[in-house]
Amino acid sequence: MTKENNHTLNEEVESQINENSQLTDEEVETVFAETSEEHNTSNEEAKGIDFEAEIQTLTNKLEEADNRYLRLQADFDNFRRRTRLDIEAGEKYRAQKLAIELLPALDNFERALNIEADNEQSKSLLQGMEMVYRGLIEALKKEGVEAIEAVGKEFDPNFHQAVMTGEDENYDSNFVIEEFQKGYMLKDRVLRPSMVKVNQ
């Protein structure tokens, strides 16, 4: 019992004793005991109500904190998964930008290599260009860049870009009969589709 409660209780007992100044010692003790019991009961009831309200408030706050924690945990897991996927994609397709920039150079090499050499000097120059071309192709292959097969394959809009149609008895309908520009893939991603002629 707190000092404040003791003070209140003493005031109540004194008030009752003053009203009945003729009380004996035993009667005074009885009055004190009854008043103390009533006071304790009312305090316990008041405390019980306060405790229930406080418990409910704290329970609500705990549930809210748990929910907030679970949401933050889910957000963090999603962020971590997205970051991991971005890192994996960055590693997997790291050569994409360079490969795309090199494709026009490869086209030029291929056009130059199709020129017929009419003297030894031209042949020597073409051989040197072919070595450089092969070196580029091998370096790109190590990074996962490869040419898309086109001629003799069934037309697939995911890998081929039809710019012309034609008729050729040697091929079935909807098959590629000629390739105008090579297409390339980086692993499972198309860098550039092949420009082709498709059999009707």
Side-chain angles (χ1 to χ4, degrees), residues 162-178:
V163 293
M164 286 183 67
T165 58
E167 292 185 10
D168 192 324
E169 296 175 353
N170 298 318
Y171 295 95
D172 292 332
S173 177
N174 205 41
F175 272 70
V176 176
I177 58 178
E178 190 176 348

PDB file of all heavy atoms in Angstrom, residues 162-178:
ATOM      1  N   ALA A 162      12.089 -11.201 -91.274  1.00  0.00           N
ATOM      2  CA  ALA A 162      11.832 -11.407 -92.707  1.00  0.00           C
ATOM      3  C   ALA A 162      11.757 -10.057 -93.405  1.00  0.00           C
ATOM      4  O   ALA A 162      10.947  -9.209 -93.045  1.00  0.00           O
ATOM      5  CB  ALA A 162      10.541 -12.185 -92.901  1.00  0.00           C
ATOM      6  N   VAL A 163      12.617  -9.860 -94.402  1.00  0.00           N
ATOM      7  CA  VAL A 163      12.592  -8.614 -95.176  1.00  0.00           C
ATOM      8  C   VAL A 163      12.162  -8.875 -96.630  1.00  0.00           C
ATOM      9  O   VAL A 163      11.848  -7.935 -97.355  1.00  0.00           O
ATOM     10  CB  VAL A 163      13.978  -7.923 -95.156  1.00  0.00           C
ATOM     11  CG1 VAL A 163      14.299  -7.444 -93.756  1.00  0.00           C
ATOM     12  CG2 VAL A 163      15.078  -8.835 -95.668  1.00  0.00           C
ATOM     13  N   MET A 164      12.134 -10.156 -96.996  1.00  0.00           N
ATOM     14  CA  MET A 164      11.704 -10.533 -98.351  1.00  0.00           C
ATOM     15  C   MET A 164      11.106 -11.930 -98.317  1.00  0.00           C
ATOM     16  O   MET A 164      11.367 -12.701 -97.392  1.00  0.00           O
ATOM     17  CB  MET A 164      12.898 -10.542 -99.336  1.00  0.00           C
ATOM     18  CG  MET A 164      13.397  -9.179 -99.751  1.00  0.00           C
ATOM     19  SD  MET A 164      14.743  -9.324-100.965  1.00  0.00           S
ATOM     20  CE  MET A 164      13.863 -10.021-102.369  1.00  0.00           C
ATOM     21  N   THR A 165      10.316 -12.211 -99.334  1.00  0.00           N
ATOM     22  CA  THR A 165       9.845 -13.581 -99.528  1.00  0.00           C
ATOM     23  C   THR A 165      10.253 -14.020-100.932  1.00  0.00           C
ATOM     24  O   THR A 165      10.505 -13.185-101.811  1.00  0.00           O
ATOM     25  CB  THR A 165       8.311 -13.674 -99.382  1.00  0.00           C
ATOM     26  OG1 THR A 165       7.697 -12.791-100.323  1.00  0.00           O
ATOM     27  CG2 THR A 165       7.872 -13.320 -97.967  1.00  0.00           C
ATOM     28  N   GLY A 166      10.335 -15.304-101.136  1.00  0.00           N
ATOM     29  CA  GLY A 166      10.723 -15.828-102.450  1.00  0.00           C
ATOM     30  C   GLY A 166      10.179 -17.222-102.620  1.00  0.00           C
ATOM     31  O   GLY A 166       9.462 -17.740-101.754  1.00  0.00           O
ATOM     32  N   GLU A 167      10.546 -17.821-103.767  1.00  0.00           N
ATOM     33  CA  GLU A 167      10.116 -19.196-104.043  1.00  0.00           C
ATOM     34  C   GLU A 167      11.334 -20.016-104.431  1.00  0.00           C
ATOM     35  O   GLU A 167      12.096 -19.631-105.310  1.00  0.00           O
ATOM     36  CB  GLU A 167       9.087 -19.215-105.177  1.00  0.00           C
ATOM     37  CG  GLU A 167       7.758 -18.587-104.790  1.00  0.00           C
ATOM     38  CD  GLU A 167       6.712 -18.724-105.899  1.00  0.00           C
ATOM     39  OE1 GLU A 167       6.988 -19.468-106.864  1.00  0.00           O
ATOM     40  OE2 GLU A 167       5.666 -18.097-105.768  1.00  0.00           O
ATOM     41  N   ASP A 168      11.482 -21.125-103.698  1.00  0.00           N
ATOM     42  CA  ASP A 168      12.611 -22.018-103.968  1.00  0.00           C
ATOM     43  C   ASP A 168      12.139 -23.446-103.750  1.00  0.00           C
ATOM     44  O   ASP A 168      11.680 -23.798-102.667  1.00  0.00           O
ATOM     45  CB  ASP A 168      13.782 -21.686-103.036  1.00  0.00           C
ATOM     46  CG  ASP A 168      15.061 -22.378-103.448  1.00  0.00           C
ATOM     47  OD1 ASP A 168      15.006 -23.523-103.911  1.00  0.00           O
ATOM     48  OD2 ASP A 168      16.137 -21.762-103.274  1.00  0.00           O
ATOM     49  N   GLU A 169      12.268 -24.258-104.829  1.00  0.00           N
ATOM     50  CA  GLU A 169      11.784 -25.642-104.757  1.00  0.00           C
ATOM     51  C   GLU A 169      12.587 -26.488-103.765  1.00  0.00           C
ATOM     52  O   GLU A 169      12.116 -27.531-103.313  1.00  0.00           O
ATOM     53  CB  GLU A 169      11.878 -26.301-106.151  1.00  0.00           C
ATOM     54  CG  GLU A 169      10.973 -25.648-107.193  1.00  0.00           C
ATOM     55  CD  GLU A 169      11.181 -26.260-108.577  1.00  0.00           C
ATOM     56  OE1 GLU A 169      12.128 -27.080-108.712  1.00  0.00           O
ATOM     57  OE2 GLU A 169      10.403 -25.933-109.473  1.00  0.00           O
ATOM     58  N   ASN A 170      13.787 -26.053-103.468  1.00  0.00           N
ATOM     59  CA  ASN A 170      14.645 -26.839-102.564  1.00  0.00           C
ATOM     60  C   ASN A 170      14.266 -26.693-101.088  1.00  0.00           C
ATOM     61  O   ASN A 170      14.807 -27.400-100.246  1.00  0.00           O
ATOM     62  CB  ASN A 170      16.108 -26.427-102.741  1.00  0.00           C
ATOM     63  CG  ASN A 170      16.598 -26.692-104.152  1.00  0.00           C
ATOM     64  OD1 ASN A 170      16.295 -27.727-104.739  1.00  0.00           O
ATOM     65  ND2 ASN A 170      17.343 -25.737-104.713  1.00  0.00           N
ATOM     66  N   TYR A 171      13.369 -25.751-100.785  1.00  0.00           N
ATOM     67  CA  TYR A 171      12.983 -25.514 -99.385  1.00  0.00           C
ATOM     68  C   TYR A 171      11.474 -25.616 -99.223  1.00  0.00           C
ATOM     69  O   TYR A 171      10.719 -25.305-100.154  1.00  0.00           O
ATOM     70  CB  TYR A 171      13.447 -24.124 -98.927  1.00  0.00           C
ATOM     71  CG  TYR A 171      14.955 -23.961 -98.888  1.00  0.00           C
ATOM     72  CD1 TYR A 171      15.631 -23.400 -99.969  1.00  0.00           C
ATOM     73  CD2 TYR A 171      15.682 -24.345 -97.772  1.00  0.00           C
ATOM     74  CE1 TYR A 171      17.006 -23.235 -99.936  1.00  0.00           C
ATOM     75  CE2 TYR A 171      17.064 -24.183 -97.739  1.00  0.00           C
ATOM     76  CZ  TYR A 171      17.721 -23.638 -98.817  1.00  0.00           C
ATOM     77  OH  TYR A 171      19.084 -23.484 -98.780  1.00  0.00           O
ATOM     78  N   ASP A 172      11.063 -26.037 -98.046  1.00  0.00           N
ATOM     79  CA  ASP A 172       9.637 -26.064 -97.737  1.00  0.00           C
ATOM     80  C   ASP A 172       9.137 -24.652 -97.490  1.00  0.00           C
ATOM     81  O   ASP A 172       9.922 -23.711 -97.300  1.00  0.00           O
ATOM     82  CB  ASP A 172       9.373 -26.920 -96.486  1.00  0.00           C
ATOM     83  CG  ASP A 172       9.650 -28.393 -96.730  1.00  0.00           C
ATOM     84  OD1 ASP A 172       9.523 -28.832 -97.894  1.00  0.00           O
ATOM     85  OD2 ASP A 172      10.003 -29.092 -95.759  1.00  0.00           O
ATOM     86  N   SER A 173       7.827 -24.517 -97.468  1.00  0.00           N
ATOM     87  CA  SER A 173       7.225 -23.210 -97.201  1.00  0.00           C
ATOM     88  C   SER A 173       7.572 -22.744 -95.789  1.00  0.00           C
ATOM     89  O   SER A 173       7.656 -23.535 -94.851  1.00  0.00           O
ATOM     90  CB  SER A 173       5.702 -23.316 -97.353  1.00  0.00           C
ATOM     91  OG  SER A 173       5.091 -22.089 -97.024  1.00  0.00           O
ATOM     92  N   ASN A 174       7.782 -21.444 -95.653  1.00  0.00           N
ATOM     93  CA  ASN A 174       8.096 -20.792 -94.376  1.00  0.00           C
ATOM     94  C   ASN A 174       9.489 -21.127 -93.853  1.00  0.00           C
ATOM     95  O   ASN A 174       9.763 -20.977 -92.673  1.00  0.00           O
ATOM     96  CB  ASN A 174       7.045 -21.132 -93.309  1.00  0.00           C
ATOM     97  CG  ASN A 174       6.967 -20.054 -92.237  1.00  0.00           C
ATOM     98  OD1 ASN A 174       7.027 -18.867 -92.526  1.00  0.00           O
ATOM     99  ND2 ASN A 174       6.851 -20.470 -90.986  1.00  0.00           N
ATOM    100  N   PHE A 175      10.374 -21.568 -94.773  1.00  0.00           N
ATOM    101  CA  PHE A 175      11.771 -21.805 -94.394  1.00  0.00           C
ATOM    102  C   PHE A 175      12.639 -20.667 -94.942  1.00  0.00           C
ATOM    103  O   PHE A 175      12.328 -20.062 -95.961  1.00  0.00           O
ATOM    104  CB  PHE A 175      12.258 -23.144 -94.937  1.00  0.00           C
ATOM    105  CG  PHE A 175      11.980 -24.297 -93.987  1.00  0.00           C
ATOM    106  CD1 PHE A 175      10.674 -24.738 -93.759  1.00  0.00           C
ATOM    107  CD2 PHE A 175      13.014 -24.923 -93.333  1.00  0.00           C
ATOM    108  CE1 PHE A 175      10.419 -25.775 -92.897  1.00  0.00           C
ATOM    109  CE2 PHE A 175      12.764 -25.973 -92.462  1.00  0.00           C
ATOM    110  CZ  PHE A 175      11.460 -26.410 -92.241  1.00  0.00           C
ATOM    111  N   VAL A 176      13.722 -20.409 -94.246  1.00  0.00           N
ATOM    112  CA  VAL A 176      14.646 -19.337 -94.651  1.00  0.00           C
ATOM    113  C   VAL A 176      15.491 -19.834 -95.829  1.00  0.00           C
ATOM    114  O   VAL A 176      16.118 -20.893 -95.741  1.00  0.00           O
ATOM    115  CB  VAL A 176      15.562 -18.926 -93.482  1.00  0.00           C
ATOM    116  CG1 VAL A 176      16.590 -17.888 -93.938  1.00  0.00           C
ATOM    117  CG2 VAL A 176      14.732 -18.383 -92.324  1.00  0.00           C
ATOM    118  N   ILE A 177      15.477 -19.057 -96.911  1.00  0.00           N
ATOM    119  CA  ILE A 177      16.245 -19.468 -98.099  1.00  0.00           C
ATOM    120  C   ILE A 177      17.474 -18.586 -98.332  1.00  0.00           C
ATOM    121  O   ILE A 177      18.367 -18.958 -99.092  1.00  0.00           O
ATOM    122  CB  ILE A 177      15.351 -19.479 -99.359  1.00  0.00           C
ATOM    123  CG1 ILE A 177      14.726 -18.100 -99.597  1.00  0.00           C
ATOM    124  CG2 ILE A 177      14.285 -20.549 -99.242  1.00  0.00           C
ATOM    125  CD1 ILE A 177      13.865 -18.025-100.864  1.00  0.00           C
ATOM    126  N   GLU A 178      17.536 -17.436 -97.681  1.00  0.00           N
ATOM    127  CA  GLU A 178      18.705 -16.566 -97.851  1.00  0.00           C
ATOM    128  C   GLU A 178      18.848 -15.653 -96.631  1.00  0.00           C
ATOM    129  O   GLU A 178      17.853 -15.248 -96.021  1.00  0.00           O
ATOM    130  CB  GLU A 178      18.546 -15.717 -99.116  1.00  0.00           C
ATOM    131  CG  GLU A 178      19.804 -14.964 -99.511  1.00  0.00           C
ATOM    132  CD  GLU A 178      19.647 -14.208-100.824  1.00  0.00           C
ATOM    133  OE1 GLU A 178      18.640 -14.445-101.544  1.00  0.00           O
ATOM    134  OE2 GLU A 178      20.507 -13.364-101.120  1.00  0.00           O
TER     135      GLU A 178
END
